[in-house]
Amino acid sequence: MRNDIDPRDELVEHLSALRAFAMSLTRNSAAADDLVQDTIEKAWKNIDKFEPGTNLRAWLFTIQRNAFYSSRRKAKREVADIDGAMAASLSEKPAHDGRLAMNDFRKAFEQLPIEQREALMFVGASGFSYEEAADMCGVAVGTIKSRANRGRRRLAELMGLAEGEDPTILDATSASVIAAHPQQG
Amino acid sequence: MTHNKDVSSVMKQIDENLRQVYRDVETNDVPDRFKELLAKLKEQEASNAK
């Protein structure tokens, strides 16, 4: 047993990231905070299973992910806040440039299936590699890539940045038509 | 190809937005309950070790 660095002392540095990830899973701030608490307690208890020198945040995300799915299986009920707790809790900040668009983006994000949300949280938002994300989710690298890309495409659609598979839609003229008539298609 | 360039710029924009959402949540203050929880766990550990 090595005792030079106690990873438990580093947990505090990952609390914000855990909350961000929990929010993307639960879409509900109360449920997210309960999930973070559960994760901290589990991590503390199982800290001897953490391999020093490996990525602590990835380890914590994996615990949190497992905790989330096992409690979801137990509860078997949808706790998601359909109106978007994430958007609501963040929109209280003073509005400035881009804020409105960001709220739209969060709402769009919350509509994605959970596999796509977590893939995008890992590789899009937190900067893990596809390999690391695949490891954390216990699936193949190709699966993570396809979930992340489907998620990105869906977000682009929801945000009116692109339209399905239509390759012509992104030229300037079509884009302005879409912008003028967002409900079209 | 223009189309591919546009698609990749849209995807870059999406990823930039994702990072921004993440940063927004990350910069929110961490509730005291988590710092208190860590302190409590540490205290229990110390008293168990005695």
Side-chain angles (χ1 to χ4, degrees):
Chain A
M1 277 282 157
R2 30 180 306 167
N3 260 338
D4 38 347
I5 304 165
D6 189 340
R8 286 176 298 193
D9 290 335
E10 293 172 26
L11 292 180
V12 66
E13 293 160 31
H14 301 280
L15 293 176
S16 307
L18 284 171
R19 282 190 87 214
F21 180 43
M23 201 74 109
S24 79
L25 290 173
T26 61
R27 296 174 289 180
N28 170 305
S29 58
D33 283 353
D34 287 347
L35 178 58
V36 171
Q37 165 138 5
D38 194 20
T39 306
I40 296 170
E41 285 167 351
K42 286 194 162 76
W44 192 276
K45 227 185 291 170
N46 293 291
I47 203 74
D48 55 321
K49 297 191 183 104
F50 174 71
E51 287 177 44
T54 62
N55 191 321
L56 181 58
R57 181 163 298 186
W59 187 72
L60 292 170
F61 276 16
T62 308
I63 292 176
Q64 178 151 284
R65 195 181 167 275
N66 291 341
F68 171 72
Y69 283 108
S70 77
S71 75
R72 201 165 79 131
R73 272 193 299 274
K74 258 180 245 161
K76 270 283 177 207
R77 66 193 151 87
E78 187 55 71
V79 293
D81 172 359
I82 304 300
D83 297 328
M86 198 172 187
S89 72
L90 289 161
S91 61
E92 293 155 14
K93 287 182 175 183
H96 54 77
D97 282 351
R99 182 56 66 192
L100 198 66
M102 284 310 294
N103 281 338
D104 288 346
F105 183 80
R106 284 190 200 94
K107 282 182 192 153
F109 180 78
E110 292 183 352
Q111 292 177 37
L112 299 180
I114 191 148
E115 310 82 35
Q116 295 176 16
R117 293 206 306 275
E118 67 176 13
L120 286 175
M121 276 307 280
F122 287 152
V123 300
S126 5
F128 285 108
S129 68
Y130 285 112
E131 288 74 15
E132 287 170 320
D135 209 39
M136 286 188 268
C137 298
V139 297
V141 176
T143 306
I144 287 293
K145 278 188 187 165
S146 106
R147 286 176 183 172
N149 286 330
R150 266 182 287 143
R152 287 184 179 110
R153 277 201 299 274
R154 181 78 185 120
L155 282 173
E157 275 171 45
L158 290 168
M159 296 302 290
L161 295 169
E163 188 81 273
E165 310 293 317
D166 186 349
T168 64
I169 217 71
L170 283 168
D171 68 50
T173 318
S174 307
S176 61
V177 170
I178 298 287
H181 306 282
Q183 68 276 59
Q184 179 188 311
Chain B
M1 243 171 85
T2 319
H3 163 240
N4 285 341
K5 201 173 137 247
D6 284 350
V7 167
S8 87
S9 96
V10 166
M11 292 307 139
K12 266 190 207 127
Q13 215 179 320
I14 294 287
D15 276 16
E16 184 41 51
N17 276 355
L18 284 167
R19 280 191 291 275
Q20 185 59 48
V21 169
Y22 191 72
R23 274 196 298 270
D24 283 355
V25 178
E26 269 210 323
T27 51
N28 278 3
D29 283 340
V30 172
D32 287 342
R33 75 182 259 201
F34 299 124
K35 289 171 184 165
E36 284 160 14
L37 173 65
L38 284 172
K40 195 189 82 188
L41 290 166
K42 194 155 191 159
E43 209 172 277
Q44 282 172 355
E45 189 82 6
S47 67
N48 287 345
K50 272 175 204 161

